[in-house]
C-alpha cells in the first residue's frame, strides 16, 4: 500500500486578487498565469508521481465543491472535503488528517495550498521526496523554507539551527529555533538582514500520528472534535458530523495553533521558484515581461507604458497610453486601474463595493 497522501487547501477567497478572484469564483479556480490550467489544476498536476490519484484530498468550501469536480473530474465525492464555514487552516488540516488516519494509520502526508506558483516542478518533487523520507520514520513536523528576497510582512518566518557546515544544502531537515507568523516591518527587516531566517512556504509534511499528537497537545479542543468523527468519516453521516464539528471549532491557523508552539518542527531549505501569488505585484514578479517590463495577458495596444501588469479577457482590446507601474485588470464587468504600489488598497475597494451593494465581489 502506498502510504503517501496529499491534502490541497482550496477554500480561500483571495480578495487581494479582485476583480478576478470573487467570492463565487476565487483565484485558485482561475488560469491566473495564462497557461491553460487553473491554479488548482496545476497544484494537482504537481503531485503526479508523488502519490496515487486516489490519495489526493481537496479541502474547500461547500460552495466550491462543483468547481472542484469540474476542474478535477477524477476526484470522487469522498476526496472533496467540504467545509460549512471558514475556520482558517488548523480545522481544515485536522479534518483531512483525521479522515485519512481512519483510512490509513501509517499515512505520510503533504499539505499544500491550491494557489501557489512553483516554477521548478522537478526540484519541488525532489524536495517533497526528501521531506517525506524524513517524516516516514520520525515523528517530526516539517515545513518548507524559502530564502527571503525582501522583508515581507505577509509571510511567516522560520529561524533554523544550521547543521554543521552543510547548512541545509544536503536537503536534510534542520531543526527550527523560532517560528514567527507575519511580523511587523522592522522585525521582518531584522530577520532578512540576519541571514538566519527563511520564509515559511505554507507547505507541510508529516506522518499522521505526529500531527494528531500535536493537535492533542496544542489544540486539544480541535483534536477532541475531529477524533469524535472517526466512526463517521467516509459514511453518509460525515457531512452532518462536519457541520456540527465546525460550529465547535475556533478559527486559528496551523502556524499560530501548532507550528509556533511545537518543539519537533523542522525545515527543509528549498529553492523551487516559489511564490504564494497573494497579490497583483507577486503575479507581476513571476510573469514574463515585454521589452518595457510590462506583464501582459490580454489583447493590447500599448504606448509609452512600462512596468505594468495588464490582464483582461482576450475578446477585449485594451489600449493604454502613458502609464508606469500600474495594474490594469478587467474581469466580468469590473475594470480596476490601480498603482502597483497601492495594491494593498484592493481589499478596501472590495469592502467599499460591497457597502454600495455591488454583486460583483
Amino acid at each position: 500500500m502506498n502510504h503517501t497522501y496529499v491534502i490541497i487547501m482550496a477554500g480561500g477567497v483571495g480578495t487581494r486578487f479582485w476583480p478576478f478572484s470573487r467570492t463565487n469564483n476565487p483565484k485558485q479556480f482561475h488560469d491566473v498565469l495564462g497557461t491553460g490550467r487553473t491554479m488548482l489544476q496545476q497544484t494537482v498536476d504537481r503531485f503526479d508521481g508523488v502519490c496515487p490519484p486516489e490519495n489526493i484530498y481537496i479541502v474547500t468550501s461547500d460552495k466550491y465543491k462543483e468547481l472542484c469536480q469540474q476542474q478535477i473530474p477524477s476526484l470522487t465525492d469522498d476526496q472533496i472535503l467540504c467545509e460549512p464555514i471558514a475556520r482558517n487552516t488548523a480545522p481544515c488540516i485536522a479534518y483531512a488528517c483525521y479522515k485519512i488516519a481512519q483510512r490509513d494509520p501509517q499515512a505520510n502526508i503533504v499539505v499544500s495550498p491550491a494557489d501557489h506558483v512553483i516554477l521548478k516542478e522537478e526540484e519541488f518533487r525532489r524536495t517533497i521526496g526528501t521531506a517525506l523520507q524524513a517524516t516516514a520514520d520520525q515523528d517530526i513536523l516539517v515545513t518548507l523554507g524559502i530564502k527571503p528576497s525582501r522583508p515581507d510582512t505577509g509571510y511567516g518566518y522560520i529561524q533554523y539551527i544550521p547543521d554543521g557546515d552543510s547548512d541545509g544544502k544536503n536537503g536534510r531537515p534542520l531543526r527550527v529555533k523560532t517560528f514567527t507568523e507575519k511580523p511587523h516591518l522592522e522585525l521582518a527587516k531584522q530577520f532578512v538582514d540576519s541571514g538566519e531566517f527563511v520564509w515559511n512556504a505554507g507547505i507541510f509534511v508529516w506522518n499522521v500520528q505526529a500531527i494528531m499528537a500535536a493537535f492533542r497537545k496544542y489544540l486539544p479542543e480541535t483534536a477532541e472534535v475531529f477524533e469524535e468523527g472517526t466512526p463517521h468519516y467516509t459514511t453518509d453521516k460525515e457531512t452532518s458530523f462536519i457541520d456540527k464539528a465546525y460550529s465547535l471549532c475556533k478559527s486559528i491557523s496551523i502556524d499560530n495553533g501548532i507550528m509556533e508552539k511545537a518543539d519537533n518542527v523542522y525545515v527543509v531549505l528549498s529553492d523551487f521558484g516559489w511564490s504564494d501569488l497573494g497579490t497583483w505585484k507577486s503575479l507581476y514578479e513571476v510573469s514574463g515581461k515585454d521589452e518595457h517590463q510590462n506583464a501582459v495577458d490580454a489583447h493590447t495596444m500599448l504606448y509609452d507604458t512600462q512596468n505594468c501588469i495588464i490582464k483582461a479577457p482576450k475578446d477585449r482590446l485594451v489600449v493604454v497610453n502613458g502609464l508606469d507601474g500600474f495594474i490594469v485588470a478587467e474581469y466580468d464587468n469590473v475594470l480596476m486601474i490601480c498603482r502597483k504600489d497601492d495594491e494593498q488598497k484592493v481589499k478596501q475597494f472590495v469592502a467599499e463595493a460591497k457597502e454600495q451593494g455591488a454583486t460583483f465581489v
Side-chain angles (χ1 to χ4, degrees), residues 205-271:
V205 184
W206 43 54
N207 70 62
V208 77
Q209 298 303 328
I211 191 60
M212 289 195 304
F215 270 106
R216 284 192 291 269
K217 186 171 181 181
Y218 302 107
L219 289 173
E221 300 95 338
T222 304
E224 198 177 319
V225 165
F226 289 101
E227 270 169 12
E228 280 179 20
T230 302
H232 307 305
Y233 298 131
T234 67
T235 75
D236 54 7
K237 293 181 180 169
E238 182 174 333
T239 301
S240 58
F241 166 76
I242 287 299
D243 287 348
K244 179 186 159 200
Y246 267 69
S247 69
L248 301 172
C249 285
K250 67 176 176 181
S251 179
I252 188 168
S253 70
I254 196 76
D255 302 316
N256 291 146
I258 290 178
M259 303 303 282
E260 287 183 12
K261 297 170 183 168
D263 57 6
N264 61 335
V265 179
Y266 285 73
V267 62
V268 173
L269 304 189
S270 308
D271 178 15

Side-chain angles (χ1 to χ4, degrees), residues 48-107:
D48 185 31
V50 172
C51 76
E54 64 271 18
N55 287 11
I56 291 178
Y57 289 84
I58 294 178
V59 191
T60 190
S61 163
D62 52 12
K63 55 181 177 279
Y64 306 143
K65 182 178 181 181
E66 221 170 276
L67 280 169
C68 289
Q69 289 171 321
Q70 286 167 10
Q71 295 195 2
I72 317 291
S74 60
L75 293 171
T76 64
D77 278 353
D78 198 49
Q79 289 173 270
I80 304 174
L81 282 56
C82 294
E83 299 182 289
I85 45 178
R87 279 291 181 263
N88 214 318
T89 52
C92 151
I93 289 169
Y95 174 18
C97 287
Y98 277 91
K99 176 168 172 150
I100 290 169
Q102 185 234 38
R103 173 180 164 185
D104 181 2
Q106 293 175 263

Side-chain angles (χ1 to χ4, degrees), residues 18-19 22 311-312 318 328-337:
W18 189 74
R22 307 286 179 92
K311 190 167 173 63
V318 181
V328 179
E330 188 201 348
Y331 182 77
D332 193 20
N333 294 322
V334 177
L335 169 65
M336 183 186 77
I337 302 170

Side-chain angles (χ1 to χ4, degrees), residues 11-29:
V13 176
T15 309
R16 291 177 297 174
F17 243 100
W18 189 74
F20 278 85
S21 199
R22 307 286 179 92
T23 307
N24 65 348
N25 194 5
K27 68 170 175 174
Q28 59 269 29
F29 301 109

Side-chain angles (χ1 to χ4, degrees), residues 301-321:
M301 292 166 58
L302 305 180
Y303 305 90
D304 186 27
T305 292
Q306 51 271 327
N307 306 309
C308 290
I309 178 163
I310 301 164
K311 190 167 173 63
K314 295 291 193 295
D315 59 357
R316 289 275 200 276
L317 173 62
V318 181
V319 183
V320 181
N321 179 68

Side-chain angles (χ1 to χ4, degrees), residues 151 157 183-197:
Y157 285 74
H184 57 76
L185 186 57
E186 278 311 307
L187 196 54
K189 283 178 181 170
Q190 288 173 32
F191 288 171
V192 174
D193 290 346
S194 76
E196 297 172 10
F197 289 78

Side-chain angles (χ1 to χ4, degrees), residues 160-172 174 195-196 269:
Y160 60 90
I161 301 169
D163 178 12
D165 295 329
S166 67
D167 209 15
K169 290 187 176 63
N170 60 15
R172 280 202 306 270
L174 301 174
E196 297 172 10
L269 304 189

